[in-house]
Amino acid sequence: MVSRRSLVRPGTVAYCRHGHPYPHVQRMGAPVCRSGKSARTHHGVHPLETYENRIVNGLLKAEAVDDPDRAAGLLLRDIEIVADPRRATDDDLWPAIWALASVLERQFSGNIYITAGLTSPLRQPAQLSSRCRFVRHTPLQNAITIHLGCLPSSPDLTLCGDARRATVHYGSVIESSERATPLSCFALAGYLGFAALALAAGIPIYREEFAVPQISLPFQCFELPRLPKGGLQFIGLGHLGQAYIALLFFLAPVIPQVPRIQLVDKDFFESPNWSTQILIETQSQWIGCAKADYLRERAQTWGWEAESERTEITWGWHRSERHSEFAVMGLDKFDVRRMAIAGGYSWVFDAGLGDSFLHPRVSWHSIPANNSLARRLFPSTDPGGMPRPQTTTPFIDRLRATPGACGLLIYEGIQASAPSLGMVASAFVWSEILRFLSGEKQQIQGSATIWSPILPPLRNVLES
């Protein structure tokens, strides 16, 4: 554990070149920007207010704590992931181990100890940081322990879950000989990842009376259909977009052909992206690089056919005729979703993330690219996040006292989020994509609440 005195100064946090929101991780050299755009950082470090970290911001808005430094202190926790060594394989629980470790190293600032009979990671879409350590079991003080596919010996500070085929189970293991799929692995990692955050921060359980021990994802087959001849076009390459691509990485070995993808995004990487975007590596130089180009290069190293387009989606934008007619969207604004849907696609898959840690919710759609339907699902008046009561704390009072209440505006304008939500959303979206490619072309609207685990998801067939 690291002393709180190692924080930069009260109320601030240093984002190093790898974007880690806590400065006790060793800083490396200044980033090199391959895209030609200079980064907005100085010598690899861009001081930000602690409350600008999306996870700290979410804890403050959930009133789990009333001060940014206290929120950061709650995240100074070590985590141990314990998995059955017999199931820590590429074709079973390894995708869950990687996804959970990737989530936890962003949500927490301690070390992530992985006890799964492995001495190093297996095949992975992005390298885990040096804080993720493959070890034999050693007792850890004040650590949160998460068991995957095996039961804990003690319930103290322990979370447990399992996945078999399309089934995700919380609180115990599933008595079955079937393997997990990447879909159920990502969903399990998302549910357990947020549960760890809620346990550490004391986030109250939401609607516990409706919780069930397990759920099944919409797609339940081990054999996967072929991807479209033109591939898939991913629009928006932030939190959701990278979760989609990471899950495709684990699906790819059993897909009948090499994945072909087109990547569209207007943005360049900035330091705070580390906290939610799981294909960023601490070992690579990414600050200031175009997201589309960086991820294209990553996908090409996997042997995929990948193209990138750095552009802003506006009214009148249209997909290239040589690109896929199927779009997978990871966009956070309703108006941009309508613009993309009007861009010449035949079908779109979409997800959205809520910004309340008290009611952490994901939603998704599988719909034809119909403008009138888009206006109904994504109205011009974006409802935004859940309304929150105005509270008064010394921290909020300090923000109000800044010139023009600028500090409060910045604080309120940040969309709180945690990478665990993206894992769950990607599992549901890919379930819909695979159902669609298998011939089930229903118009679907779905939603799921991540806490308490596990609340039954809602999945409705929309009228044509």
Side-chain angles (χ1 to χ4, degrees), residues 14 41-42 45 47 53 67 157 210 287 293 310 316 340 343 355 383 399 426 438:
T41 58
H42 179 62
V45 179
N53 174 276
D67 180 82
L157 290 178
F210 296 114
I287 295 178
D293 296 338
R310 182 168 57 84
D355 62 358
L399 294 182
S426 67
S438 299

mmCIF file with all atom_site columns, all heavy atoms in Angstrom, residues 14 41-42 45 47 53 67 157 210 287 293 310 316 340 343 355 383 399 426 438:
data_model
loop_
_atom_site.group_PDB
_atom_site.id
_atom_site.type_symbol
_atom_site.label_atom_id
_atom_site.label_alt_id
_atom_site.label_comp_id
_atom_site.label_asym_id
_atom_site.label_entity_id
_atom_site.label_seq_id
_atom_site.pdbx_PDB_ins_code
_atom_site.Cartn_x
_atom_site.Cartn_y
_atom_site.Cartn_z
_atom_site.occupancy
_atom_site.B_iso_or_equiv
_atom_site.pdbx_formal_charge
_atom_site.auth_seq_id
_atom_site.auth_comp_id
_atom_site.auth_asym_id
_atom_site.auth_atom_id
_atom_site.pdbx_PDB_model_num
ATOM 1   N N   . ALA A 1 14  ? -1.700  13.327  -10.684 1.00 0.00 ? 14  ALA A N   1
ATOM 2   C CA  . ALA A 1 14  ? -0.854  13.367  -11.880 1.00 0.00 ? 14  ALA A CA  1
ATOM 3   C C   . ALA A 1 14  ? -1.189  12.205  -12.783 1.00 0.00 ? 14  ALA A C   1
ATOM 4   O O   . ALA A 1 14  ? -1.215  11.063  -12.341 1.00 0.00 ? 14  ALA A O   1
ATOM 5   C CB  . ALA A 1 14  ? 0.618   13.284  -11.482 1.00 0.00 ? 14  ALA A CB  1
ATOM 6   N N   . THR A 1 41  ? 0.034   17.319  -22.902 1.00 0.00 ? 41  THR A N   1
ATOM 7   C CA  . THR A 1 41  ? 0.750   17.161  -21.655 1.00 0.00 ? 41  THR A CA  1
ATOM 8   C C   . THR A 1 41  ? 2.123   17.775  -21.769 1.00 0.00 ? 41  THR A C   1
ATOM 9   O O   . THR A 1 41  ? 2.617   18.039  -22.854 1.00 0.00 ? 41  THR A O   1
ATOM 10  C CB  . THR A 1 41  ? 0.887   15.674  -21.307 1.00 0.00 ? 41  THR A CB  1
ATOM 11  O OG1 . THR A 1 41  ? 1.579   15.050  -22.391 1.00 0.00 ? 41  THR A OG1 1
ATOM 12  C CG2 . THR A 1 41  ? -0.450  15.020  -21.115 1.00 0.00 ? 41  THR A CG2 1
ATOM 13  N N   . HIS A 1 42  ? 2.759   17.980  -20.643 1.00 0.00 ? 42  HIS A N   1
ATOM 14  C CA  . HIS A 1 42  ? 4.101   18.557  -20.610 1.00 0.00 ? 42  HIS A CA  1
ATOM 15  C C   . HIS A 1 42  ? 5.027   17.532  -19.986 1.00 0.00 ? 42  HIS A C   1
ATOM 16  O O   . HIS A 1 42  ? 4.882   17.169  -18.817 1.00 0.00 ? 42  HIS A O   1
ATOM 17  C CB  . HIS A 1 42  ? 4.099   19.846  -19.796 1.00 0.00 ? 42  HIS A CB  1
ATOM 18  C CG  . HIS A 1 42  ? 5.462   20.485  -19.708 1.00 0.00 ? 42  HIS A CG  1
ATOM 19  N ND1 . HIS A 1 42  ? 6.158   20.931  -20.811 1.00 0.00 ? 42  HIS A ND1 1
ATOM 20  C CD2 . HIS A 1 42  ? 6.240   20.742  -18.630 1.00 0.00 ? 42  HIS A CD2 1
ATOM 21  C CE1 . HIS A 1 42  ? 7.307   21.446  -20.411 1.00 0.00 ? 42  HIS A CE1 1
ATOM 22  N NE2 . HIS A 1 42  ? 7.382   21.334  -19.095 1.00 0.00 ? 42  HIS A NE2 1
ATOM 23  N N   . VAL A 1 45  ? 3.343   14.494  -18.146 1.00 0.00 ? 45  VAL A N   1
ATOM 24  C CA  . VAL A 1 45  ? 2.495   14.610  -16.965 1.00 0.00 ? 45  VAL A CA  1
ATOM 25  C C   . VAL A 1 45  ? 1.583   15.826  -17.109 1.00 0.00 ? 45  VAL A C   1
ATOM 26  O O   . VAL A 1 45  ? 2.046   16.918  -17.390 1.00 0.00 ? 45  VAL A O   1
ATOM 27  C CB  . VAL A 1 45  ? 3.349   14.751  -15.682 1.00 0.00 ? 45  VAL A CB  1
ATOM 28  C CG1 . VAL A 1 45  ? 2.453   14.883  -14.468 1.00 0.00 ? 45  VAL A CG1 1
ATOM 29  C CG2 . VAL A 1 45  ? 4.274   13.557  -15.528 1.00 0.00 ? 45  VAL A CG2 1
ATOM 30  N N   . PRO A 1 47  ? -1.175  17.660  -14.886 1.00 0.00 ? 47  PRO A N   1
ATOM 31  C CA  . PRO A 1 47  ? -1.886  17.703  -13.610 1.00 0.00 ? 47  PRO A CA  1
ATOM 32  C C   . PRO A 1 47  ? -3.372  17.985  -13.807 1.00 0.00 ? 47  PRO A C   1
ATOM 33  O O   . PRO A 1 47  ? -3.750  18.925  -14.500 1.00 0.00 ? 47  PRO A O   1
ATOM 34  C CB  . PRO A 1 47  ? -1.194  18.848  -12.855 1.00 0.00 ? 47  PRO A CB  1
ATOM 35  C CG  . PRO A 1 47  ? 0.117   19.045  -13.553 1.00 0.00 ? 47  PRO A CG  1
ATOM 36  C CD  . PRO A 1 47  ? -0.145  18.710  -14.987 1.00 0.00 ? 47  PRO A CD  1
ATOM 37  N N   . ASN A 1 53  ? -10.902 12.510  -12.456 1.00 0.00 ? 53  ASN A N   1
ATOM 38  C CA  . ASN A 1 53  ? -10.868 11.080  -12.726 1.00 0.00 ? 53  ASN A CA  1
ATOM 39  C C   . ASN A 1 53  ? -12.295 10.549  -12.702 1.00 0.00 ? 53  ASN A C   1
ATOM 40  O O   . ASN A 1 53  ? -13.051 10.808  -11.771 1.00 0.00 ? 53  ASN A O   1
ATOM 41  C CB  . ASN A 1 53  ? -10.018 10.374  -11.658 1.00 0.00 ? 53  ASN A CB  1
ATOM 42  C CG  . ASN A 1 53  ? -10.052 8.875   -11.800 1.00 0.00 ? 53  ASN A CG  1
ATOM 43  O OD1 . ASN A 1 53  ? -10.970 8.228   -11.302 1.00 0.00 ? 53  ASN A OD1 1
ATOM 44  N ND2 . ASN A 1 53  ? -9.060  8.318   -12.461 1.00 0.00 ? 53  ASN A ND2 1
ATOM 45  N N   . ASP A 1 67  ? -15.140 13.849  -0.295  1.00 0.00 ? 67  ASP A N   1
ATOM 46  C CA  . ASP A 1 67  ? -13.891 14.555  -0.557  1.00 0.00 ? 67  ASP A CA  1
ATOM 47  C C   . ASP A 1 67  ? -13.078 13.747  -1.571  1.00 0.00 ? 67  ASP A C   1
ATOM 48  O O   . ASP A 1 67  ? -12.987 12.518  -1.445  1.00 0.00 ? 67  ASP A O   1
ATOM 49  C CB  . ASP A 1 67  ? -13.105 14.729  0.747   1.00 0.00 ? 67  ASP A CB  1
ATOM 50  C CG  . ASP A 1 67  ? -11.791 15.458  0.519   1.00 0.00 ? 67  ASP A CG  1
ATOM 51  O OD1 . ASP A 1 67  ? -11.811 16.700  0.449   1.00 0.00 ? 67  ASP A OD1 1
ATOM 52  O OD2 . ASP A 1 67  ? -10.754 14.772  0.407   1.00 0.00 ? 67  ASP A OD2 1
ATOM 53  N N   . LEU A 1 157 ? -14.182 -10.249 2.835   1.00 0.00 ? 157 LEU A N   1
ATOM 54  C CA  . LEU A 1 157 ? -13.628 -9.456  1.747   1.00 0.00 ? 157 LEU A CA  1
ATOM 55  C C   . LEU A 1 157 ? -13.467 -10.269 0.460   1.00 0.00 ? 157 LEU A C   1
ATOM 56  O O   . LEU A 1 157 ? -12.476 -10.159 -0.247  1.00 0.00 ? 157 LEU A O   1
ATOM 57  C CB  . LEU A 1 157 ? -12.277 -8.857  2.155   1.00 0.00 ? 157 LEU A CB  1
ATOM 58  C CG  . LEU A 1 157 ? -12.329 -7.750  3.199   1.00 0.00 ? 157 LEU A CG  1
ATOM 59  C CD1 . LEU A 1 157 ? -10.918 -7.296  3.546   1.00 0.00 ? 157 LEU A CD1 1
ATOM 60  C CD2 . LEU A 1 157 ? -13.150 -6.572  2.718   1.00 0.00 ? 157 LEU A CD2 1
ATOM 61  N N   . PHE A 1 210 ? -34.719 -7.760  -5.999  1.00 0.00 ? 210 PHE A N   1
ATOM 62  C CA  . PHE A 1 210 ? -34.982 -8.326  -7.322  1.00 0.00 ? 210 PHE A CA  1
ATOM 63  C C   . PHE A 1 210 ? -33.793 -9.112  -7.868  1.00 0.00 ? 210 PHE A C   1
ATOM 64  O O   . PHE A 1 210 ? -33.842 -9.621  -8.994  1.00 0.00 ? 210 PHE A O   1
ATOM 65  C CB  . PHE A 1 210 ? -35.344 -7.214  -8.309  1.00 0.00 ? 210 PHE A CB  1
ATOM 66  C CG  . PHE A 1 210 ? -36.616 -6.493  -7.965  1.00 0.00 ? 210 PHE A CG  1
ATOM 67  C CD1 . PHE A 1 210 ? -36.592 -5.154  -7.591  1.00 0.00 ? 210 PHE A CD1 1
ATOM 68  C CD2 . PHE A 1 210 ? -37.839 -7.144  -7.995  1.00 0.00 ? 210 PHE A CD2 1
ATOM 69  C CE1 . PHE A 1 210 ? -37.755 -4.477  -7.269  1.00 0.00 ? 210 PHE A CE1 1
ATOM 70  C CE2 . PHE A 1 210 ? -39.012 -6.480  -7.665  1.00 0.00 ? 210 PHE A CE2 1
ATOM 71  C CZ  . PHE A 1 210 ? -38.976 -5.147  -7.301  1.00 0.00 ? 210 PHE A CZ  1
ATOM 72  N N   . ILE A 1 287 ? -0.397  8.840   -25.834 1.00 0.00 ? 287 ILE A N   1
ATOM 73  C CA  . ILE A 1 287 ? -0.953  10.166  -25.596 1.00 0.00 ? 287 ILE A CA  1
ATOM 74  C C   . ILE A 1 287 ? -0.729  11.048  -26.826 1.00 0.00 ? 287 ILE A C   1
ATOM 75  O O   . ILE A 1 287 ? 0.379   11.166  -27.335 1.00 0.00 ? 287 ILE A O   1
ATOM 76  C CB  . ILE A 1 287 ? -0.330  10.820  -24.352 1.00 0.00 ? 287 ILE A CB  1
ATOM 77  C CG1 . ILE A 1 287 ? -0.709  10.035  -23.097 1.00 0.00 ? 287 ILE A CG1 1
ATOM 78  C CG2 . ILE A 1 287 ? -0.790  12.270  -24.203 1.00 0.00 ? 287 ILE A CG2 1
ATOM 79  C CD1 . ILE A 1 287 ? -0.095  10.572  -21.830 1.00 0.00 ? 287 ILE A CD1 1
ATOM 80  N N   . ASP A 1 293 ? -6.142  5.477   -35.666 1.00 0.00 ? 293 ASP A N   1
ATOM 81  C CA  . ASP A 1 293 ? -4.876  4.988   -36.222 1.00 0.00 ? 293 ASP A CA  1
ATOM 82  C C   . ASP A 1 293 ? -4.163  4.059   -35.244 1.00 0.00 ? 293 ASP A C   1
ATOM 83  O O   . ASP A 1 293 ? -3.618  3.024   -35.636 1.00 0.00 ? 293 ASP A O   1
ATOM 84  C CB  . ASP A 1 293 ? -3.971  6.163   -36.588 1.00 0.00 ? 293 ASP A CB  1
ATOM 85  C CG  . ASP A 1 293 ? -4.556  7.039   -37.690 1.00 0.00 ? 293 ASP A CG  1
ATOM 86  O OD1 . ASP A 1 293 ? -5.419  6.540   -38.441 1.00 0.00 ? 293 ASP A OD1 1
ATOM 87  O OD2 . ASP A 1 293 ? -4.152  8.213   -37.781 1.00 0.00 ? 293 ASP A OD2 1
ATOM 88  N N   . ARG A 1 310 ? -9.982  8.990   -39.428 1.00 0.00 ? 310 ARG A N   1
ATOM 89  C CA  . ARG A 1 310 ? -10.076 10.009  -38.387 1.00 0.00 ? 310 ARG A CA  1
ATOM 90  C C   . ARG A 1 310 ? -10.959 11.129  -38.906 1.00 0.00 ? 310 ARG A C   1
ATOM 91  O O   . ARG A 1 310 ? -10.550 11.957  -39.714 1.00 0.00 ? 310 ARG A O   1
ATOM 92  C CB  . ARG A 1 310 ? -8.692  10.532  -38.001 1.00 0.00 ? 310 ARG A CB  1
ATOM 93  C CG  . ARG A 1 310 ? -8.726  11.563  -36.875 1.00 0.00 ? 310 ARG A CG  1
ATOM 94  C CD  . ARG A 1 310 ? -7.333  11.838  -36.318 1.00 0.00 ? 310 ARG A CD  1
ATOM 95  N NE  . ARG A 1 310 ? -6.399  12.279  -37.347 1.00 0.00 ? 310 ARG A NE  1
ATOM 96  C CZ  . ARG A 1 310 ? -6.297  13.546  -37.762 1.00 0.00 ? 310 ARG A CZ  1
ATOM 97  N NH1 . ARG A 1 310 ? -7.088  14.474  -37.252 1.00 0.00 ? 310 ARG A NH1 1
ATOM 98  N NH2 . ARG A 1 310 ? -5.406  13.865  -38.669 1.00 0.00 ? 310 ARG A NH2 1
ATOM 99  N N   . GLY A 1 316 ? -24.785 14.680  -42.879 1.00 0.00 ? 316 GLY A N   1
ATOM 100 C CA  . GLY A 1 316 ? -24.257 14.622  -44.231 1.00 0.00 ? 316 GLY A CA  1
ATOM 101 C C   . GLY A 1 316 ? -23.085 13.671  -44.384 1.00 0.00 ? 316 GLY A C   1
ATOM 102 O O   . GLY A 1 316 ? -22.697 13.337  -45.512 1.00 0.00 ? 316 GLY A O   1
ATOM 103 N N   . ALA A 1 340 ? -24.912 9.163   -37.325 1.00 0.00 ? 340 ALA A N   1
ATOM 104 C CA  . ALA A 1 340 ? -24.270 7.942   -37.816 1.00 0.00 ? 340 ALA A CA  1
ATOM 105 C C   . ALA A 1 340 ? -25.291 7.011   -38.456 1.00 0.00 ? 340 ALA A C   1
ATOM 106 O O   . ALA A 1 340 ? -25.023 6.407   -39.509 1.00 0.00 ? 340 ALA A O   1
ATOM 107 C CB  . ALA A 1 340 ? -23.549 7.241   -36.667 1.00 0.00 ? 340 ALA A CB  1
ATOM 108 N N   . GLY A 1 343 ? -26.010 7.541   -41.963 1.00 0.00 ? 343 GLY A N   1
ATOM 109 C CA  . GLY A 1 343 ? -24.804 7.521   -42.794 1.00 0.00 ? 343 GLY A CA  1
ATOM 110 C C   . GLY A 1 343 ? -24.729 6.412   -43.815 1.00 0.00 ? 343 GLY A C   1
ATOM 111 O O   . GLY A 1 343 ? -23.642 6.126   -44.322 1.00 0.00 ? 343 GLY A O   1
ATOM 112 N N   . ASP A 1 355 ? -24.407 7.149   -16.000 1.00 0.00 ? 355 ASP A N   1
ATOM 113 C CA  . ASP A 1 355 ? -23.334 7.855   -15.302 1.00 0.00 ? 355 ASP A CA  1
ATOM 114 C C   . ASP A 1 355 ? -23.561 7.917   -13.796 1.00 0.00 ? 355 ASP A C   1
ATOM 115 O O   . ASP A 1 355 ? -22.949 8.717   -13.108 1.00 0.00 ? 355 ASP A O   1
ATOM 116 C CB  . ASP A 1 355 ? -23.147 9.262   -15.859 1.00 0.00 ? 355 ASP A CB  1
ATOM 117 C CG  . ASP A 1 355 ? -24.383 10.133  -15.684 1.00 0.00 ? 355 ASP A CG  1
ATOM 118 O OD1 . ASP A 1 355 ? -25.399 9.629   -15.163 1.00 0.00 ? 355 ASP A OD1 1
ATOM 119 O OD2 . ASP A 1 355 ? -24.327 11.312  -16.070 1.00 0.00 ? 355 ASP A OD2 1
ATOM 120 N N   . PRO A 1 383 ? -31.684 12.989  -22.541 1.00 0.00 ? 383 PRO A N   1
ATOM 121 C CA  . PRO A 1 383 ? -31.994 13.081  -21.111 1.00 0.00 ? 383 PRO A CA  1
ATOM 122 C C   . PRO A 1 383 ? -30.773 13.114  -20.220 1.00 0.00 ? 383 PRO A C   1
ATOM 123 O O   . PRO A 1 383 ? -30.851 13.527  -19.072 1.00 0.00 ? 383 PRO A O   1
ATOM 124 C CB  . PRO A 1 383 ? -32.821 11.820  -20.852 1.00 0.00 ? 383 PRO A CB  1
ATOM 125 C CG  . PRO A 1 383 ? -32.377 10.858  -21.901 1.00 0.00 ? 383 PRO A CG  1
ATOM 126 C CD  . PRO A 1 383 ? -32.068 11.702  -23.114 1.00 0.00 ? 383 PRO A CD  1
ATOM 127 N N   . LEU A 1 399 ? -15.750 24.301  -4.676  1.00 0.00 ? 399 LEU A N   1
ATOM 128 C CA  . LEU A 1 399 ? -15.946 24.390  -6.122  1.00 0.00 ? 399 LEU A CA  1
ATOM 129 C C   . LEU A 1 399 ? -16.836 25.582  -6.474  1.00 0.00 ? 399 LEU A C   1
ATOM 130 O O   . LEU A 1 399 ? -16.593 26.290  -7.460  1.00 0.00 ? 399 LEU A O   1
ATOM 131 C CB  . LEU A 1 399 ? -16.564 23.100  -6.659  1.00 0.00 ? 399 LEU A CB  1
ATOM 132 C CG  . LEU A 1 399 ? -15.707 21.834  -6.569  1.00 0.00 ? 399 LEU A CG  1
ATOM 133 C CD1 . LEU A 1 399 ? -16.452 20.651  -7.185  1.00 0.00 ? 399 LEU A CD1 1
ATOM 134 C CD2 . LEU A 1 399 ? -14.369 22.025  -7.260  1.00 0.00 ? 399 LEU A CD2 1
ATOM 135 N N   . SER A 1 426 ? -20.482 -4.678  -23.709 1.00 0.00 ? 426 SER A N   1
ATOM 136 C CA  . SER A 1 426 ? -19.922 -5.340  -24.892 1.00 0.00 ? 426 SER A CA  1
ATOM 137 C C   . SER A 1 426 ? -20.418 -6.774  -24.997 1.00 0.00 ? 426 SER A C   1
ATOM 138 O O   . SER A 1 426 ? -20.642 -7.283  -26.108 1.00 0.00 ? 426 SER A O   1
ATOM 139 C CB  . SER A 1 426 ? -18.394 -5.296  -24.850 1.00 0.00 ? 426 SER A CB  1
ATOM 140 O OG  . SER A 1 426 ? -17.880 -6.076  -23.792 1.00 0.00 ? 426 SER A OG  1
ATOM 141 N N   . SER A 1 438 ? -26.552 -14.889 -37.235 1.00 0.00 ? 438 SER A N   1
ATOM 142 C CA  . SER A 1 438 ? -27.080 -16.246 -37.322 1.00 0.00 ? 438 SER A CA  1
ATOM 143 C C   . SER A 1 438 ? -28.450 -16.287 -37.976 1.00 0.00 ? 438 SER A C   1
ATOM 144 O O   . SER A 1 438 ? -29.046 -17.368 -38.100 1.00 0.00 ? 438 SER A O   1
ATOM 145 C CB  . SER A 1 438 ? -27.151 -16.869 -35.920 1.00 0.00 ? 438 SER A CB  1
ATOM 146 O OG  . SER A 1 438 ? -25.866 -16.946 -35.338 1.00 0.00 ? 438 SER A OG  1
#
